[in-house]
Amino acid sequence: MKIALAQINQSIGKIEENRIKIFDFAKKAKEKNADIIIFPEFVVTGGYSNDLFKNKDFIITEFKATEVMTSHIPIYTIAGVISNDKLNQNITNAVAFFSDSNSMKVVASKNNLNDGDFNDLKYFKFSGFSNVFKFCEKNIACVIADSADSVSKNIEKASWLGIDIVIVLSCSPYYKGKIEEIKNIIKESAKENSVDVAYVNMLGGNDGYVFDGQSLYVDKNGNLKAVGNFLEEGLTIFDTDGQDIEDKYIDKNKELYDVLVLGLRDYIKKNNFKKCVLGISGGIDSALTLAIAVDAIGAENVLGVLMPSKYTSKESVDCALELCKNLNVQTKTIPINDIYNIYINQLTPFFDGKAKDLTEENLQARIRSNILMSLSNKFGYFVLCTCNKSEDAVGYSTLYGDATGGYAPISDLYKKEVYELSKYRNTISKIIPEFIINRAPTAELRENQKDSDSLPEYDILDDILIKILDNKLTYSQIIESGVEKEVLDKVWKLLCISEYKRRQSPVGTKVSKSAFLRDISLPVSNGYIWTPMREKDLCQKSTM
Amino acid sequence: MKIALAQINQSIGKIEENRIKIFDFAKKAKEKNADIIIFPEFVVTGGYSNDLFKNKDFIITEFKATEVMTSHIPIYTIAGVISNDKLNQNITNAVAFFSDSNSMKVVASKNNLNDGDFNDLKYFKFSGFSNVFKFCEKNIACVIADSADSVSKNIEKASWLGIDIVIVLSCSPYYKGKIEEIKNIIKESAKENSVDVAYVNMLGGNDGYVFDGQSLYVDKNGNLKAVGNFLEEGLTIFDTDGQDIEDKYIDKNKELYDVLVLGLRDYIKKNNFKKCVLGISGGIDSALTLAIAVDAIGAENVLGVLMPSKYTSKESVDCALELCKNLNVQTKTIPINDIYNIYINQLTPFFDGKAKDLTEENLQARIRSNILMSLSNKFGYFVLCTCNKSEDAVGYSTLYGDATGGYAPISDLYKKEVYELSKYRNTISKIIPEFIINRAPTAELRENQKDSDSLPEYDILDDILIKILDNKLTYSQIIESGVEKEVLDKVWKLLCISEYKRRQSPVGTKVSKSAFLRDISLPVSNGYIWTPMREKDLCQKSTM
């Protein structure tokens, strides 16, 4: 049997465009003599449509699109669709089989509605569909599953006596380690249950999720028969009786970087923007963000803005310019001193003689945001936010200052990952000046400021954050691992009191299983922050 | 039997303070000779604790608090606690019965984990506990339920043969109409199933939810035996064999207004702030927000800031000052012209000769935000955002401008409700000048600007929004109801393309079943916006 796995990048809600692309893929598969084509979960609506699933017009439009597919699709097709259970007026997240008799048959519906990143339970019911069907002399069962655990359980459940192939449809986003995890789970499951497994996942960035595709086919001995090119849209056509293929290894940094590029590119494109603008400080975060932006939409579509103040060092300006030059990015330099001075003149009479503090630092960051937003409004540029996960975790950013923008490409990267990816990007072409990589991190909002004045050194901070957020260690486990109590208490407190800031952050690309607001959601009014605290005068040093 | 219903305002995560308050309530109930006291769902942790439920230290602290309750609580007690299922390492959202033998027995666990506003499924398992117990010669069954539908179903399910009383624990937030809905459902259910029903709900504001308490007791004939005072913390003690009481009617506007006051008060208090600051424009939104703030934390803790520009009319300034004077609120006046002019001077060379547009309008709003945030940073004031739901729906606000702040007290009120509540507040004391209520809404960001230049008149806009968001009508149903196609298309498009802005909005008090981000969550990259559009040149007129 010749199967075409469709690795397809769909847009949420663009039902007609999505349908046309499905037909294009189907035609190509037919031309290449495939017997059947397999599309992922939600291929008509795009994923994930959230409350559009509650909109009756939207659902009816989806039904119409699948009707057209039923009567015109030129090849046997398996696809993730919305189905309606006329009896109960419910909709189900389903798999349909389109055959040559111009008929569409629902052959499965998602059973684990609490699986994965999205709230299927809010929209769908499980209808108990599970129709095995015969095709090319093979008994085939379909399932929808998102998490690795659910993929494994669903393959096991679907592997009745006599089943030859289990087809897994998915619309599940990327996280670090997922590629290997899913591949291994599928190989193991295929072997254990002695069935062939086809896996087809959605591709593309949507709302900060990157669906990583990685369609593949494994035979019942656990041997790889086909795998889609990483993050590339297209068809993978192969013969189930063909040769085993060798598994390709993807460098971890390349994998992560490419996901970030696709996440940003699709977000900009799918929100109908073309160009973007960001502040270039001469620091590592804006450097990496700039590189990602250039790789995503081309240097000609990116504008770098330098907004020096009296605290900005000459090295910062030089580095920023060198970086932009290396990337062929156009720059504008708009100093903020005059604007800052007027604010201070106007506000000082209202400050009751109080000394300089965070107020003046935050003001600079907010002026910069205003300038970027003005360029955005005037020219339709999309503003990029350069905040990273370590900063977001402890609130080390200025609300309505540097924490602003339409999208935050690196907001799910720990600071150490920002360094790793910057070094990785430099191995492709040396674009980020060494000085930027080697300098001590600083916000340059006052004389000789360093991030480590307010925060633990980033290697210590990242270590603690990973233990809390990713490894879910308990307080005493973290202490036993060698973290100082004072430092841990401070980080925990900052983590809790920064939730209000994270709630107002731009959307960013999720690359972990511990992304803020998506995977980790703390209460804002969080009384528990005080419980492990003993130090009376531990006060928030981070900028607000 | 003498029962004490505890209407208690708990804080998320303040486990020790919560436990102490539970003891205070229990002691008072004992002193007043109650036989038993009933506390709501999550009474030890506070509601809703989100990912703190994933924190093992947090759960262990909760267990310790219930251990202390087990050995020391001075009266028979029913309370919502976290329980652990040692077998499966799961935690359950449970009801415990504390008896005089220093024992705690889990008598129920929440079965409908997908019920209500929160994601119980992420944290809890259903353990099938359902132990009927005998107390004062009565057979008692307990359930946890949040939505009206679930309350009704759970009472029915718990009403086995021989059950005398069903106790319903809840931690469910307010929405307009809920008070009547829950009361009626309980009366009906009690009658239909011929059981007495005790209902105890959490009280207080947390993270923008207002838990409305309204503890009550209805006998098996549907007669009201007890009801807690609306939004007041305290005990309601009564005899189950006592007289029926008369149901109190609460004026709809008073109900809504009081919920908004409590929501803001608790948010400020529970986040450890004391004072707040907001911009007073002379418009209706800031007027109502100011009144709510004064009623929440007292005039002495509120600062009103006037930030006139050259587009600000004399009437606006006069009205703003009169309003603040009526409310005894201190004001500061900080004109923005000089700051604005410097920005324009600095930015004009980068604007490539482009004409004035939204850029200049948004800039003014952002300067005002910067000023408020500076006062916030310098004095520790909490900034209030004055945006309403109609504006949020169509994006008629400036991102990082007027759409900023720590909390948005009226963000779930349609514009027409802003008027209704302003008029209601004036019936208590005439504080909002008539001119503010009667003037045409304007952002005053350019000469002679009116909101209706960019938007449909608010009565039309609100009508459409209610049809889409609350009544969930289809496109054709809305057209049939008499809405013009062009206007509907425009509103639908604005609704969709404003999602990115809503994602960055401050938390506000939920008062409806259609609160943005809580009840209604649209995708940001939403291709469906174009589908019902036909007019090519329909462009976004709202400010960004």
Side-chain angles (χ1 to χ4, degrees):
Chain A
M1 175 166 37
K2 218 167 160 188
I3 297 180
L5 306 174
Q7 199 154 282
I8 190 167
N9 187 341
Q10 299 290 54
S11 299
I12 298 170
K14 291 196 178 169
I15 292 178
E16 186 55 11
E17 287 89 330
N18 290 346
R19 188 195 62 72
I20 290 168
K21 202 190 258 187
I22 291 169
F23 271 76
D24 287 346
F25 271 63
K27 268 184 240 158
K28 252 176 236 155
K30 174 86 178 171
E31 282 161 23
K32 301 203 171 164
N33 298 315
D35 296 304
I36 191 166
I37 183 167
I38 307 174
F39 290 98
E41 186 186 6
F42 293 130
V43 71
V44 183
T45 55
Y48 192 84
S49 303
N50 293 341
D51 278 14
L52 288 176
F53 288 133
K54 290 243 177 211
N55 184 309
K56 285 174 203 146
D57 294 305
F58 179 76
I59 297 299
I60 287 166
T61 312
E62 203 273 1
F63 290 167
K64 282 186 187 154
T66 54
E67 257 177 56
V68 178
M69 284 168 66
T70 304
S71 40
H72 293 99
I73 202 142
I75 179 173
Y76 286 89
T77 300
I78 302 276
V81 301
I82 310 301
S83 167
N84 65 336
D85 170 354
K86 275 161 196 150
L87 210 67
N88 302 310
Q89 295 276 317
N90 294 322
I91 57 170
T92 62
N93 176 358
V95 182
F97 176 51
F98 298 84
S99 70
D100 64 348
S101 55
N102 288 353
S103 84
M104 180 192 103
K105 203 166 102 185
V106 172
V107 291
S109 96
K110 191 175 187 182
N111 59 41
N112 185 0
L113 293 169
N114 192 36
D115 171 38
D117 289 71
F118 308 109
N119 193 2
D120 279 343
L121 273 167
K122 188 175 175 187
Y123 311 113
F124 303 110
K125 294 277 179 200
F126 169 51
S127 284
F129 289 122
S130 185
N131 301 320
V132 173
F133 62 99
K134 200 155 198 153
F135 182 75
C136 288
E137 306 298 308
K138 302 279 187 189
N139 288 318
I140 297 177
C142 294
V143 299
I144 301 178
D146 293 324
S147 70
D149 185 48
S150 173
V151 165
S152 155
K153 281 186 187 147
N154 270 284
I155 292 173
E156 194 190 332
K157 222 168 157 184
S159 301
W160 305 347
L161 197 69
I163 290 292
D164 301 298
I165 306 174
V166 175
I167 297 177
V168 183
L169 303 196
S170 195
C171 177
S172 90
Y174 175 83
Y175 53 84
K176 284 172 288 177
K178 185 189 171 202
I179 309 292
E180 285 308 297
E181 190 180 3
I182 291 280
K183 215 179 265 173
N184 291 337
I185 281 275
I186 289 174
K187 284 180 186 170
E188 273 169 38
S189 297
K191 244 159 80 175
E192 264 174 34
N193 299 292
S194 198
V195 290
D196 286 16
V197 176
Y199 173 82
V200 181
N201 185 21
M202 179 63 78
L203 184 74
N206 265 322
D207 278 23
Y209 293 99
V210 175
F211 301 98
D212 48 274
Q214 66 148 335
S215 329
L216 53 84
Y217 192 94
V218 169
D219 74 10
K220 62 183 176 183
N221 302 314
N223 297 323
L224 195 65
K225 292 284 178 180
V227 61
N229 286 333
F230 184 58
L231 297 185
E232 267 179 36
E233 196 169 27
L235 285 174
T236 306
I237 302 180
F238 65 97
D239 199 302
T240 51
D241 298 325
Q243 292 294 306
D244 296 351
I245 61 164
E246 219 173 310
D247 211 346
K248 290 172 230 166
Y249 170 81
I250 308 163
D251 171 77
K252 292 282 165 255
N253 283 321
K254 176 180 165 47
E255 174 184 308
L256 184 52
Y257 188 84
D258 289 354
V259 165
L260 294 171
V261 169
L262 181 60
L264 177 60
R265 180 190 297 137
D266 275 2
Y267 194 87
I268 292 178
K269 207 174 72 183
K270 292 179 182 179
N271 285 296
N272 304 304
F273 283 89
K274 281 197 177 134
K275 293 178 180 250
C276 72
V277 59
L278 69 165
I280 307 295
S281 68
I284 190 89
D285 298 311
S286 55
L288 180 62
T289 306
L290 183 70
I292 292 168
V294 167
D295 291 336
I297 58 170
E300 69 281 11
N301 293 315
V302 181
L303 173 65
V305 183
L306 283 74
M307 294 170 285
S309 76
K310 58 182 171 180
Y311 305 118
T312 307
S313 65
K314 187 180 170 306
E315 290 89 341
S316 292
V317 174
D318 292 346
C319 280
L321 290 172
E322 188 185 336
L323 171 76
C324 291
K325 202 180 147 202
N326 291 347
L327 282 162
N328 289 318
V329 163
Q330 191 201 344
T331 62
K332 294 187 191 294
T333 299
I334 309 178
I336 66 163
N337 282 332
D338 292 349
I339 300 173
Y340 175 77
N341 290 336
I342 283 271
Y343 269 109
I344 295 299
N345 283 347
Q346 292 266 21
L347 290 172
T348 302
F350 299 96
F351 281 172
D352 295 358
K354 285 192 176 250
K356 261 196 182 181
D357 55 15
L358 277 183
T359 313
E360 286 76 9
E361 299 183 23
N362 287 334
L363 184 56
Q364 297 163 55
R366 293 192 180 113
I367 292 169
R368 293 191 174 112
S369 166
N370 285 6
I371 291 172
L372 293 176
M373 288 305 293
S374 293
L375 293 169
S376 169
N377 286 163
K378 192 60 92 186
F379 297 103
Y381 297 154
F382 188 79
V383 177
L384 298 185
C385 172
T386 62
C387 287
N388 64 54
K389 186 173 187 167
S390 306
E391 291 170 344
D392 283 351
V394 293
Y396 195 74
S397 63
T398 298
L399 189 64
Y400 319 130
D402 54 323
T404 57
Y407 198 75
I410 62 168
S411 62
D412 199 22
L413 291 187
Y414 291 112
K415 189 80 175 185
K416 68 172 187 179
E417 293 172 319
V418 174
Y419 282 103
E420 280 162 22
L421 286 193
S422 297
K423 287 175 194 162
Y424 159 74
R425 183 59 184 80
N426 267 2
T427 65
I428 302 176
S429 57
K430 207 164 154 28
I431 44 144
I432 302 175
E434 280 301 314
F435 182 80
I436 291 181
I437 292 175
N438 295 326
R439 72 189 302 189
T442 165
E444 292 195 324
L445 295 171
R446 60 171 186 266
E447 297 289 356
N448 302 318
Q449 184 178 31
K450 293 210 172 44
D451 291 9
S452 56
D453 301 342
S454 313
L455 299 177
E457 298 283 353
Y458 279 112
D459 55 345
I460 296 173
L461 177 61
D462 285 356
D463 173 60
I464 296 174
L465 290 173
I466 289 167
K467 283 170 180 163
I468 296 176
L469 303 174
D470 299 276
N471 304 338
K472 322 268 183 213
L473 297 190
T474 62
Y475 192 81
S476 58
Q477 284 171 330
I478 299 174
I479 295 292
E480 277 159 29
S481 78
V483 172
E484 277 178 53
K485 196 184 164 314
E486 293 65 35
V487 182
L488 176 57
D489 284 352
K490 179 174 173 173
V491 171
W492 173 253
K493 182 181 169 183
L494 292 175
L495 179 67
C496 291
I497 62 177
S498 306
E499 179 67 17
Y500 79 97
K501 235 187 248 191
R502 291 189 292 268
R503 295 271 183 112
Q504 297 191 39
S505 325
V507 177
T509 305
K510 171 189 155 92
V511 295
S512 75
K513 280 179 148 177
S514 63
F516 287 119
L517 297 186
R518 303 182 191 278
D519 304 298
I520 294 186
S521 139
L522 289 168
V524 179
S525 313
N526 181 354
Y528 190 59
I529 58 179
W530 309 113
T531 310
M533 299 287 140
R534 289 295 169 265
E535 291 65 37
K536 242 186 170 175
D537 44 10
L538 171 73
C539 64
Q540 187 192 5
K541 286 271 174 62
S542 80
T543 53
M544 171 165 163
Chain B
M1 175 167 38
K2 219 169 159 185
I3 296 179
L5 307 174
Q7 199 155 282
I8 190 166
N9 186 341
Q10 299 291 54
S11 299
I12 299 171
K14 292 195 178 169
I15 293 178
E16 186 54 11
E17 287 90 330
N18 290 347
R19 188 194 62 71
I20 291 168
K21 202 191 256 187
I22 291 170
F23 271 76
D24 287 345
F25 270 63
K27 267 184 238 157
K28 252 176 234 154
K30 174 86 178 171
E31 282 161 23
K32 300 203 170 164
N33 299 314
D35 297 305
I36 191 165
I37 183 167
I38 308 173
F39 290 99
E41 185 186 6
F42 294 130
V43 70
V44 183
T45 56
Y48 192 84
S49 303
N50 294 339
D51 278 13
L52 288 176
F53 288 133
K54 290 243 179 213
N55 184 308
K56 284 174 203 144
D57 294 306
F58 179 75
I59 297 298
I60 288 166
T61 313
E62 204 272 1
F63 290 167
K64 281 186 188 153
T66 53
E67 255 177 57
V68 178
M69 283 169 67
T70 304
S71 41
H72 293 98
I73 202 143
I75 178 172
Y76 286 89
T77 300
I78 301 275
V81 301
I82 310 300
S83 168
N84 65 337
D85 171 354
K86 275 159 198 152
L87 208 67
N88 303 310
Q89 295 276 317
N90 295 322
I91 56 169
T92 61
N93 176 359
V95 182
F97 176 51
F98 300 83
S99 69
D100 64 350
S101 56
N102 287 353
S103 84
M104 180 192 102
K105 202 166 103 185
V106 171
V107 291
S109 95
K110 192 176 187 180
N111 59 41
N112 185 0
L113 292 168
N114 191 36
D115 171 38
D117 289 69
F118 309 110
N119 193 2
D120 279 344
L121 274 167
K122 186 174 176 189
Y123 312 112
F124 303 109
K125 295 274 180 203
F126 170 52
S127 285
F129 289 123
S130 186
N131 300 320
V132 173
F133 61 99
K134 201 155 196 150
F135 182 75
C136 287
E137 307 299 309
K138 303 279 186 189
N139 288 317
I140 298 177
C142 295
V143 299
I144 300 179
D146 293 325
S147 69
D149 185 49
S150 172
V151 165
S152 156
K153 281 187 186 147
N154 270 285
I155 292 174
E156 193 190 332
K157 221 169 156 184
S159 301
W160 305 349
L161 198 66
I163 290 292
D164 300 298
I165 306 174
V166 175
I167 296 177
V168 183
L169 303 196
S170 193
C171 178
S172 91
Y174 176 82
Y175 54 83
K176 284 172 287 177
K178 184 190 172 203
I179 309 291
E180 285 308 299
E181 190 180 1
I182 291 281
K183 214 179 263 172
N184 290 337
I185 281 274
I186 290 175
K187 283 180 186 171
E188 273 169 39
S189 298
K191 244 159 82 176
E192 264 175 34
N193 300 291
S194 199
V195 290
D196 285 16
V197 176
Y199 173 83
V200 181
N201 184 22
M202 179 64 78
L203 184 74
N206 265 320
D207 278 22
Y209 292 99
V210 175
F211 300 98
D212 48 273
Q214 65 149 336
S215 330
L216 52 85
Y217 192 93
V218 168
D219 74 10
K220 63 183 175 185
N221 303 313
N223 298 321
L224 194 66
K225 292 285 179 182
V227 60
N229 286 332
F230 184 58
L231 298 184
E232 267 178 37
E233 196 169 27
L235 285 174
T236 306
I237 302 180
F238 65 98
D239 199 303
T240 50
D241 298 325
Q243 292 294 305
D244 297 350
I245 61 162
E246 220 175 307
D247 211 346
K248 288 174 231 166
Y249 170 81
I250 308 162
D251 171 75
K252 292 282 166 252
N253 284 321
K254 176 180 167 46
E255 174 183 308
L256 184 52
Y257 188 84
D258 289 354
V259 164
L260 295 171
V261 169
L262 180 60
L264 176 60
R265 179 190 298 137
D266 276 1
Y267 194 87
I268 292 177
K269 207 174 74 182
K270 291 179 182 179
N271 285 296
N272 303 305
F273 282 89
K274 280 197 178 135
K275 293 179 181 249
C276 72
V277 60
L278 70 163
I280 307 296
S281 68
I284 190 90
D285 298 312
S286 55
L288 180 62
T289 306
L290 183 69
I292 292 168
V294 167
D295 291 336
I297 58 170
E300 68 281 12
N301 293 314
V302 180
L303 173 66
V305 183
L306 283 73
M307 293 170 285
S309 77
K310 58 181 169 179
Y311 304 118
T312 307
S313 64
K314 187 179 171 305
E315 289 89 342
S316 291
V317 173
D318 292 347
C319 277
L321 291 173
E322 189 186 335
L323 170 76
C324 292
K325 202 179 147 203
N326 291 347
L327 282 162
N328 289 318
V329 164
Q330 192 202 342
T331 62
K332 294 188 190 295
T333 299
I334 309 178
I336 66 164
N337 282 332
D338 292 348
I339 299 174
Y340 175 77
N341 289 336
I342 284 271
Y343 269 109
I344 294 299
N345 283 346
Q346 294 265 18
L347 290 172
T348 301
F350 299 97
F351 280 172
D352 296 355
K354 286 195 175 248
K356 261 195 181 180
D357 55 16
L358 277 182
T359 313
E360 287 75 10
E361 298 183 23
N362 286 334
L363 183 55
Q364 296 163 56
R366 293 192 181 114
I367 292 169
R368 292 189 174 113
S369 166
N370 285 6
I371 292 172
L372 293 176
M373 288 305 293
S374 294
L375 293 170
S376 168
N377 285 162
K378 194 57 93 184
F379 297 103
Y381 297 153
F382 188 78
V383 177
L384 298 185
C385 171
T386 62
C387 287
N388 64 54
K389 185 174 189 168
S390 305
E391 291 170 347
D392 283 351
V394 293
Y396 196 74
S397 63
T398 299
L399 189 64
Y400 318 130
D402 54 322
T404 57
Y407 198 74
I410 62 169
S411 62
D412 199 21
L413 291 187
Y414 292 112
K415 190 80 175 186
K416 69 173 187 177
E417 294 172 317
V418 174
Y419 282 102
E420 280 162 21
L421 287 194
S422 297
K423 288 174 192 163
Y424 159 74
R425 183 61 183 78
N426 267 2
T427 65
I428 302 175
S429 57
K430 208 164 154 27
I431 45 145
I432 302 175
E434 279 302 313
F435 182 81
I436 291 182
I437 292 175
N438 295 325
R439 72 189 303 188
T442 166
E444 291 194 326
L445 295 171
R446 60 172 186 264
E447 297 288 356
N448 302 318
Q449 184 179 31
K450 294 209 171 44
D451 292 8
S452 56
D453 301 342
S454 314
L455 298 177
E457 298 283 352
Y458 280 113
D459 54 346
I460 296 173
L461 176 62
D462 284 357
D463 172 61
I464 296 174
L465 290 174
I466 289 167
K467 282 169 180 164
I468 296 175
L469 302 173
D470 299 275
N471 303 339
K472 323 267 184 212
L473 298 190
T474 63
Y475 191 81
S476 57
Q477 284 170 330
I478 299 174
I479 295 292
E480 276 160 30
S481 77
V483 172
E484 278 178 51
K485 196 183 165 313
E486 293 67 35
V487 181
L488 176 57
D489 285 350
K490 179 174 174 172
V491 171
W492 173 253
K493 181 180 169 184
L494 292 175
L495 179 68
C496 290
I497 62 178
S498 307
E499 180 66 17
Y500 78 98
K501 233 187 249 191
R502 289 188 293 266
R503 294 272 182 110
Q504 297 192 40
S505 330
V507 177
T509 306
K510 170 189 156 88
V511 295
S512 75
K513 280 178 148 176
S514 63
F516 287 119
L517 297 185
R518 303 181 191 278
D519 303 300
I520 294 186
S521 139
L522 289 167
V524 178
S525 313
N526 181 354
Y528 190 58
I529 58 177
W530 309 114
T531 311
M533 299 286 141
R534 288 296 167 265
E535 289 65 36
K536 241 186 170 174
D537 44 9
L538 172 73
C539 64
Q540 188 192 4
K541 286 273 174 58
S542 80
T543 54
M544 171 167 162

